Amino acid sequence: MPSGLRHDVEIAVLGGGVIGLVCAWRARQLGHSVLVLERDRLGCGASGVAAGMLAPVSEAEFGPAAQAVLEMNLRSAEMWPSFAAELRQESGVDVQLHRSGTLMLARDSDEARALERQSELRDSLGLQTRRLRGSQARELESALAPRVRLALEAPEDHSVDPRAVVGALASACEHAGVRVLEGAGEAAVAIGGEAVSGLRLPDGSFVHADTVVLAAGAWSGAVSGLSDIGLPEVRPVKGQILRLRDPSGPGLITRVLRYEGGYIVPRGDGRYVLGATVEEQGFDEHPTAGGVYELLKEAWELVPGIAELAIEEIGVSFRPGTPDNVPLIGPAGPAGLIWATGHYRNGILLAPLTAELVCGSLTGAVAA
Ligand code: GLY
């Protein structure tokens, strides 16, 4: 896009991660003209670092806000199989939906008591889990250490590869005719009177749009142009992860493992994502020795065999957290502004549902 010019589009999507791309694709399928503006590269934020757990049951927490998140997570998890199939058909990319199930693990009596409470919570919510003794868990995953005391199996909690999802969505968007601008820098939302009028780019270009979808992840709370209108805050919650590879191939772990202090997500091809720290450190993008140490220590105590794996990458990104960690999806603030952010720990899981909800808002916001 040449600098200093004016462009007209019905819908401008700010943010080229999984959420921005899926909203753009679905909006284009409704017949709208759509432009995605990404400050850097597609998927360079949380989407490129996320482990990709589709885990409504193991992510379930206590409290009313968590109940709202659970309902969204369950709805979106149900959408994933057909969403993955549609993405494959449109893009040719297999997003590696790995229907492995998840084991939640306890190492000692304190953790076992906490896991019992988690089991009761899930029973009370009608969520399907299976309680396993340590020996039964080791029959399923022989690499587990003898110290595993108790496990809770969530057979319907699966995973995808978020980098493949970004690739698939980018390709689907291109085929559908979504325009994408990478390297756009920090765009500002322009507001004229009571409504958004578009996005102003650092190079002086102006994108006129009837609707702006704010899908900038953890950066959504810092977008220029919105600071004066009292919108809900979105904060960055730092996560460090390790990408590991087993030189001898797949099989060390076949299910997603979750435990106090982290998780291991097998990709099914000998690669593993070991996550994640949860840090309120603002936008500090440095991996730390302490963070990596904790990730490895917690995982090694449960799966000693991870000591043999090669480290391929240390990643850092930022979950978009809201005050109650419930996502912000739908219209808020000036007319024409639609939020698609605040997904906290569940951005990949919530992608298909978010697009459906945003498109529901568009039907009222944009003349089709
Ligand atoms: N969804 C896992 C995490 O945020 O670390």
Side-chain angles (χ1 to χ4, degrees), residues 182-245:
E182 295 182 271
E186 310 282 341
V189 176
I191 299 173
E194 303 284 295
V196 295
S197 55
L199 292 167
R200 205 176 301 286
L201 306 193
D203 70 0
S205 303
F206 187 77
V207 177
H208 177 268
D210 304 319
T211 300
V212 170
V213 178
L214 187 54
W219 291 265
S220 303
V223 171
S224 307
L226 297 176
S227 52
D228 295 339
I229 52 181
L231 291 167
E233 74 190 63
V234 178
R235 72 187 193 289
V237 183
K238 179 179 176 181
Q240 304 186 44
I241 58 109
L242 291 168
R243 287 178 194 274
L244 308 177
R245 183 178 48 80

Side-chain angles (χ1 to χ4, degrees), residues 53 59 263 276 319 345:
M53 286 178 289
E59 284 285 343
Y263 49 79
R319 307 168 182 88
R345 295 175 62 90

Side-chain angles (χ1 to χ4, degrees), residues 150-193:
L150 181 67
L152 204 58
E153 185 183 24
E156 296 303 324
D157 277 8
H158 304 312
S159 67
V160 288
D161 182 342
R163 291 181 178 178
V165 178
V166 171
L169 282 168
S171 169
C173 279
E174 189 185 334
H175 292 154
V178 173
R179 290 160 65 202
V180 173
L181 177 65
E182 295 182 271
E186 310 282 341
V189 176
I191 299 173

Side-chain angles (χ1 to χ4, degrees), residues 7-25:
H7 307 270
D8 284 288
V9 71
E10 284 176 312
I11 299 169
V13 178
L14 187 57
V18 162
I19 296 295
L21 289 171
V22 72
C23 292
W25 181 41

